[in-house]
């Protein structure tokens, strides 16, 4: 398992491409745009486009499920868990006896090796010691006994090439290894827990990306509706200016101003369509969806308002944030690593049982047995062991320092997103009120213009304020979802069951004062 899979990143994600879309549209609509003169606020809307093929409805839960199943981030996280489980299995295996089978063949003209192979095969004889050569040199009556005794035996010293086929079955039983193997197993178990916490963290970050992208499509679609209504309004203002100009009520400059405004709004409507297409592509990337597969979004994300105090939210984050948990488990792994390093100062004892077969030809012949115990204890290594222990202790200190830094950053981040979530709720209410006030101002200014008491410039300026209020209301809706999701992420609660949604038709029924279109958009 690598550091990237469990080490936390404490900058909570921003909205990415979706947030850029929202702010970009707010800026676009706040400049000088004109909207239809309706007294209602704007919710996330769906716009009809020509249907080339049937489009499946994509709910937020479907999107989350598809991302979790197909996104490579989750595949990488699962691979880290598999690696940690493999390390545990490896450590457990070192605690159990080990049985090895060895089959080999050897050929040699080394005197000692040849004699040993003959002994193992049971083929050694007196002539291997040069008995015939001795009697030949000693003579019939052993008259040359001294000379024969000092003559080197050629058969023993120069045996020539000889070969042996050996089969061995060896059983090794670990008895005591200074606690190293058990410490390594505890370390592997801690790494597995850290990998699992890292998997939860990766899962929650991916859910946040899906929420951002999905809510970004909702917001971008709402901006498409805003600009479409702005085109209708600009067209109606141009028609009104043309009629009043023909009646001599207004000057031609008002008509020209209205015509230029219509072209500008039509351009912005196309930009809004492009922004929505960008938002759709962003969600497709996260889900791994084919670009040719159409889908519809017909529900609004709904995340419950955070309950409790800031202190309670911070306590929840400390207890449940998966990145903090991963760091804690990494510290446990580092402690076990220190124990494993210190075990090399202790003696080791193991039992060995072995059975061998040796033959001049392949086969199981001439079996022999060996049983023994081996104790080893490294008494002096000139600092090699102490260096290994120091390195493990330093790793533990680094892990503890990293956890403390992460804790401090988490507490700060929780406070930031908790306050931002509360502020986003208040901002949404203020923007909804601003829509009603600016809408009334547009209505009055339009009446003044129709009576020749105002100019097209004043009317468009007043309408631009309403335009801005509606755009900021859509942005506030998006930001509310985003900040609540960020708070759930910081406290370790961002799971699919925490993400709710409201179908658009239910939003219409529960908010009759709000204008919500029931049209569907093909994405």
């Amino acid at each position: 398992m690598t550091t990237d899979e469990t080490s936390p990143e404490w900058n909570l994600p921003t909205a990415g491409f979706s947030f850029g879309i929202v702010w970009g549209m707010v800026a676009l609509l706040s400049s000088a745009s004109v909207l239809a003169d309706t007294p209602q606020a704007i919710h996330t809307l769906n716009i009809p486009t020509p249907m080339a093929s049937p489009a499946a409805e994509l709910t937020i839960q479907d999107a989350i499920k598809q991302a979790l199943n197909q996104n490579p981030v989750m595949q990488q996280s699962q691979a880290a868990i598999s690696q940690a489980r493999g390390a545990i299995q490896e450590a457990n295996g070192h605690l159990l006896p080990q049985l090895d089978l060895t089959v080999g063949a050897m050929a040699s003209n080394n005197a000692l090796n040849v004699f040993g192979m003959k002994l193992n095969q049971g083929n050694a004889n007196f002539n291997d010691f040069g008995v015939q050569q001795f009697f030949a040199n000693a003579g019939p009556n052993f008259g040359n006994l001294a000379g024969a005794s000092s003559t080197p035996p050629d058969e023993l010293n120069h045996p020539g090439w000889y070969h042996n086929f050996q089969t061995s079955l060896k059983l090794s039983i670990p008895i005591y290894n200074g606690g190293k193997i058990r410490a390594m197993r505890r370390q592997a178990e801690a790494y597995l827990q850290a990998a699992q916490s890292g998997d939860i963290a990766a899962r929650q970050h991916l859910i946040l990306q899906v929420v951002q992208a999905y809510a970004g499509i909702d917001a971008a679609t709402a901006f498409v509706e805003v600009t479409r209504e702005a085109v209708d309004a600009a067209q109606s203002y141009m028609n009104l200016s043309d009629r009043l100009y023909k009646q001599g009520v207004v000057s031609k400059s008002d008509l020209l101003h209205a015509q230029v405004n219509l072209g500008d709004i039509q351009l912005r409507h196309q930009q809004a369509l492009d922004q929505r297409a960008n938002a759709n592509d962003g969600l497709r990337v996260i889900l791994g969806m084919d670009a040719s597969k159409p889908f519809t979004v017909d529900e609004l994300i709904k995340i419950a308002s955070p309950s409790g105090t800031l202190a309670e939210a911070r306590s929840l984050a400390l207890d449940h944030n998966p990145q903090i948990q991963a760091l804690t488990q990494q510290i446990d792994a580092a402690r076990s690593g220190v124990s494993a390093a210190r075990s090399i100062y202790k003696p080791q004892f193991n039992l060995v049982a072995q059975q061998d077969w040796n033959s001049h030809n392949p086969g199981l012949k001439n079996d022999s047995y060996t049983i023994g115990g081996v104790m080893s204890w490294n008494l002096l290594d000139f600092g090699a062991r102490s260096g290994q222990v120091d390195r493990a202790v330093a790793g533990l200190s680094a892990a503890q320092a990293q956890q403390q830094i992460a804790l401090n950053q988490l507490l700060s981040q929780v406070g930031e997103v908790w306050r931002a979530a509360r502020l986003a709720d208040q901002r949404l209410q203020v923007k909804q009120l601003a829509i009603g006030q600016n809408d009334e101002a547009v209505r009055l200014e339009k009446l003044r213009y129709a009576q020749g008491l105002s100019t097209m410039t004043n009317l468009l300026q007043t309408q631009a304020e309403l335009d801005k209020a509606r755009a900021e209301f859509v942005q506030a809706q998006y930001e509310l979802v985003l900040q609540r999701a960020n708070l759930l992420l910081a406290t370790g609660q961002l799971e699919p069951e925490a993400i709710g949604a409201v179908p658009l038709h239910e939003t219409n029924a529960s908010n009759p004062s709000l204008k919500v279109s029931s049209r569907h958009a093909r994405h």
Side-chain angles (χ1 to χ4, degrees):
M1 180 176 58
T2 62
T3 303
D4 294 339
E5 291 150 357
T6 56
S7 298
E9 295 291 340
W10 292 110
N11 293 324
L12 294 181
T14 58
F17 69 90
S18 300
F19 201 57
I21 289 172
V22 174
W23 277 110
M25 293 306 300
V26 170
L28 183 150
L29 294 172
S30 299
S31 55
S33 58
V34 180
L35 299 180
D37 51 345
T38 56
Q40 293 85 1
I42 303 298
H43 261 204
T44 305
L45 305 172
N46 288 321
I47 307 304
T49 55
M51 297 291 289
S53 59
E57 180 180 345
L58 181 66
T59 67
I60 181 60
Q61 292 298 328
D62 291 339
I64 291 174
K65 182 178 179 181
Q66 186 169 342
L68 294 178
N69 290 336
Q70 298 186 14
N71 195 283
V73 172
M74 297 309 303
Q75 297 173 4
Q76 182 182 25
S77 179
Q78 288 297 318
I81 292 177
S82 298
Q83 288 178 344
R85 286 176 176 161
I88 292 177
Q89 184 177 357
E90 179 183 1
N92 288 335
H94 287 308
L95 288 172
L96 301 175
Q98 181 174 334
L99 184 63
D100 296 318
L101 174 64
T102 304
V103 178
M106 175 186 292
S108 177
N109 65 352
N110 179 277
L112 183 61
N113 289 339
V114 171
F115 189 69
M117 286 187 284
K118 289 183 176 182
L119 285 176
N120 288 332
Q121 294 174 6
N123 292 331
N125 54 57
F126 287 107
N127 194 46
D128 291 327
F129 294 94
V131 172
Q132 290 182 355
Q133 183 182 358
F134 174 81
F135 283 110
N137 291 335
N141 300 318
F142 296 98
N144 190 26
L145 184 61
S149 299
S150 62
T151 302
D154 292 336
E155 291 292 332
L156 185 63
N157 292 333
H158 306 287
W161 282 94
Y162 197 82
H163 63 267
N164 178 60
F165 292 91
Q166 184 181 52
T167 302
S168 299
L169 195 61
K170 180 180 179 181
L171 178 66
S172 301
I173 305 175
I175 303 300
Y176 179 72
N177 290 277
K180 180 178 181 179
I181 297 178
R182 295 186 184 277
M184 292 177 60
R185 184 177 66 176
R186 290 195 302 270
Q187 184 180 42
E189 290 172 347
Y191 275 131
L192 173 60
Q193 294 174 352
Q196 290 171 337
S197 296
D199 179 71
I200 295 174
R203 170 189 176 91
Q204 293 189 2
H205 276 86
L206 184 58
I207 291 174
L208 178 64
Q209 293 182 32
V210 175
V211 170
Q212 291 170 349
Y214 197 96
I217 292 178
D218 281 341
T221 304
F223 282 123
V224 169
E225 176 68 7
V226 167
T227 55
R228 186 197 62 78
E229 293 186 355
V231 171
D232 294 342
Q235 182 67 54
S236 68
Y237 285 144
M238 190 188 72
N239 295 338
L240 176 60
S241 297
D242 182 60
R243 186 173 69 253
L244 294 178
Y245 169 70
K246 291 177 180 179
Q247 295 174 359
V249 178
V250 299
S251 64
K252 188 173 182 179
S253 63
D254 276 8
L255 176 59
L256 295 176
H257 195 176
Q259 291 173 342
V260 172
N261 179 73
L262 175 60
D264 186 45
I265 294 300
Q266 289 173 335
L267 176 61
R268 291 171 185 168
H269 179 60
Q270 182 59 50
Q271 290 176 330
L273 291 171
D274 293 342
Q275 292 282 19
R276 187 178 66 179
N278 293 339
N280 296 337
D281 291 342
L283 182 60
R284 290 182 189 276
V285 170
I286 296 175
L287 303 185
M289 183 182 295
D290 190 340
S292 63
K293 182 179 180 180
F295 65 89
T296 64
V297 171
D298 192 27
E299 62 181 16
L300 300 173
I301 294 178
K302 181 179 180 181
I303 300 177
S305 175
S307 59
T309 64
L310 175 57
E312 292 173 339
R314 284 173 169 164
S315 177
L316 190 64
L318 294 177
D319 292 337
H320 297 283
N321 186 284
Q323 293 174 320
I324 290 294
Q325 292 177 343
L327 282 177
T328 301
Q329 289 146 1
Q330 284 186 343
I331 290 176
D332 294 339
R335 287 197 181 100
S336 298
V338 172
S339 298
R342 288 174 174 167
S343 68
I344 58 179
Y345 283 100
K346 301 176 182 179
Q348 299 185 16
F349 180 73
N350 299 285
L351 293 179
V352 176
Q354 181 170 332
Q355 183 176 6
D356 297 312
W357 293 269
N358 291 273
S359 176
H360 194 67
N361 299 309
L364 300 178
K365 300 178 181 179
N366 307 305
D367 56 332
S368 60
Y369 303 90
T370 303
I371 298 177
V374 179
M375 186 188 79
S376 61
W377 194 351
N378 190 339
L379 300 179
L380 181 64
D381 59 6
F382 298 97
R385 288 176 296 179
S386 62
Q388 184 176 347
V389 173
D390 291 345
R391 186 175 60 180
V393 172
L396 173 60
S397 298
Q400 291 172 332
Q402 184 179 7
Q403 184 197 46
Q404 188 58 51
I405 293 173
L407 286 171
N408 295 337
Q409 292 180 347
L410 177 62
L411 294 177
S412 176
Q413 292 286 355
V414 170
E416 181 179 342
V417 296
W418 187 84
R419 297 184 190 96
R422 289 172 61 89
L423 184 61
D425 198 0
Q426 298 173 8
R427 182 183 294 112
L428 184 64
Q429 299 176 20
V430 171
K431 298 306 178 183
Q432 184 173 349
L433 179 62
I435 290 176
Q437 294 175 343
N438 284 282
D439 187 76
E440 179 62 16
V442 170
R443 187 185 68 83
L444 295 176
E445 191 65 28
K446 186 175 181 181
L447 291 176
R448 285 170 53 82
Y449 179 76
Q451 296 171 4
L453 301 178
S454 183
T455 65
M456 176 57 68
T457 300
N458 292 337
L459 177 58
L460 294 181
Q461 183 177 0
T462 305
Q463 188 70 43
E465 292 298 322
L466 175 60
D467 187 349
K468 179 181 178 181
R470 286 175 168 171
E472 290 180 344
F473 177 80
V474 174
Q475 189 272 332
Q477 284 184 308
Y478 174 81
E479 189 174 351
L480 179 65
V481 171
L482 177 63
Q483 296 301 341
R484 289 181 178 179
N486 274 331
L487 183 57
L488 289 177
L489 176 68
T491 55
Q493 306 297 307
L494 188 57
E495 294 293 339
E497 55 269 19
I499 310 300
V502 179
L504 288 180
H505 66 274
E506 293 185 10
T507 305
N508 297 346
S510 60
N511 297 276
S513 62
L514 300 178
K515 179 181 179 181
V516 180
S517 172
S518 60
R519 290 171 290 189
H520 296 255
R522 175 178 175 268
H523 302 293

